[in-house]
Amino acid sequence: MDLNAEALAYHSAPVPGKLEVKPSKPCLTQHDLSLAYTPGVAKPCLEIHDRPQEVYRYTGKGNTVAVVSDGTAVLGLGNIGPAAGLPVMEGKCVLFKRFADIDAMPLCLGKVHGADGRTDAERLIAAVETLEPTFGGINLEDIAAPACFQVETTLKERMGIPVFHDDQHGTAIISLAALLNAAKLTGKPLSSLKVVGNGAGAAGLSCLEFYIRAGVLRENVVVCDSKGVVTRENASNAAKRALATSRTDVHSLAEAMKGADVFLGCSVANCVTPGMVRSMAPGAVVFAMANPVPEIMPQLAKEAGAAVVGTGRTDFPNQINNVLGFPGIFRGALDVRARDITPGMQLAASYALAEIATMPVEGEVREILAAAYPEDAQAGVFDGACPLKDSYVIPKPFDPRVVPHVARMVAKAAMEEGVAQEAIQDLDAYEEAVARRIRG
């Protein structure tokens, strides 16, 4: 059976889809029924009416996230609509549960589009903001640019629960973690890096802005779209204008990459040649994240002189995968009942991920990683007191330390920034508790 046929079988049998709902309390007797529903349910209703914050004590709101999409930018498939995007949102919910024990619900919304079939930002905003009573957080997914920027910004202003557009911030958080370690390996401070981004959609623009927040200089960034280098004269929206270059000596991606330290690809397959990589500065970092085929294959980039190469694929080293981020980010945000996921919390997640890749891989962690990644284990990827190397600048998705450590650092940042409504007194104990919770 080929992968496509296997995927269809996986999604259709033994029952359609990838999710089901199970009660967390017994409902086996007449007494159970009187507690779960009428008349007993009236008491928690009245408690919540009198003290609204009690909703976190008597319902599942505090551990429930809505994965919301309008289907306008689904994976590499484009604007395929909300129904066709539902398998992706179900999959995201599976990852929330598997990696962070968060109950997530897919909500693919129709009738939030304009006559052109693209996102009507105001309609989508109006629909999502009504969800606040039920959910502890909102994960926006696969909403096309530029509307996605307005949608997230407005919802963060209007809602008192965390709102996070993973397509923007997830890739930015994970790739920054990889960049921090790549810069350490190549001996270059972030402030010295010349960065070229190809792809001016939600992910590409957000990655570049996030790198700037972390220390890359705005004047050292050049972004390209399908028409070439984005300048102040040809930028088609505000997000592109913020990153438009004032340089007049570069017009194409090939020209922009000459002497660059970092290439960030959130674009299309095979748009980078070995010659373009050879033209980069010594110790170049190449993050070719187009899926399923990257902008340049890793082996070609390495042969052309790249010091560190990352992609979005599981079968190559340094996979920049959003599952390294959102489960732990939401776990930490929910556990301190954060009102927002701030840029500081996002940076904390990046630093946490970068730190994990420098920690020794020992004991049970090594056993888990060796079982999940036997070829990497045999190749010595996880070896050393500090295993950081060109083939390991970012931890693996199945590393059991990822979610607990990210959750810890995100919760800590939320408390420090004053957006947390609950305090965690012992962060060491909290990290250990999250690890136990995920192990089940």
Side-chain angles (χ1 to χ4, degrees), residues 313-319 366 369-383 389 391-392 394-397:
R313 286 174 45 156
T314 59
D315 53 345
F316 295 130
N318 300 320
Q319 184 194 14
R366 191 174 190 88
L369 290 179
Y373 308 98
E375 293 182 3
D376 287 329
Q378 292 171 9
V381 170
F382 308 122
D383 293 351
K389 54 181 67 72
S391 59
Y392 184 68
I394 191 77
K396 301 286 189 178

Side-chain angles (χ1 to χ4, degrees), residues 18-39:
K18 301 190 288 285
L19 299 172
E20 63 182 1
V21 175
K22 292 184 177 180
S24 61
K25 306 292 195 304
C27 190
L28 301 173
T29 67
Q30 180 180 0
H31 185 64
D32 291 341
L33 187 59
S34 71
L35 294 174
Y37 202 53
T38 185

Side-chain angles (χ1 to χ4, degrees), residues 289-328:
M289 297 186 292
N291 266 318
V293 181
E295 286 83 357
I296 183 171
M297 296 302 283
Q299 187 59 37
L300 290 177
K302 290 288 286 185
E303 290 171 356
V308 177
V309 181
T311 72
R313 286 174 45 156
T314 59
D315 53 345
F316 295 130
N318 300 320
Q319 184 194 14
I320 297 169
N321 187 326
N322 285 18
V323 77
L324 287 166
F326 68 83

Side-chain angles (χ1 to χ4, degrees), residues 179-269:
L179 182 60
L180 291 169
N181 280 334
K184 185 181 297 185
L185 284 174
T186 57
K188 299 179 182 181
L190 262 61
S191 60
S192 74
L193 297 178
K194 295 179 180 178
V195 180
V196 174
N198 195 46
L205 295 176
S206 296
C207 284
L208 295 171
E209 289 288 0
F210 198 55
Y211 298 171
I212 291 167
R213 183 177 289 275
V216 171
L217 301 182
R218 188 174 294 272
E219 57 265 31
N220 286 347
V221 172
V222 175
V223 62
C224 300
D225 61 14
S226 59
K227 298 176 182 178
V229 171
V230 175
T231 67
R232 292 167 184 170
E233 289 72 32
N234 66 21
S236 58
N237 58 58
K240 288 185 181 182
R241 281 192 292 275
L243 287 164
T245 185
S246 59
R247 291 178 60 182
T248 58
D249 61 324
V250 291
H251 304 89
S252 66
L253 176 62
E255 292 175 345
M257 286 181 65
K258 292 178 181 177
D261 299 290
V262 180
F263 169 78
L264 169 73
C266 297
S267 53
V268 295

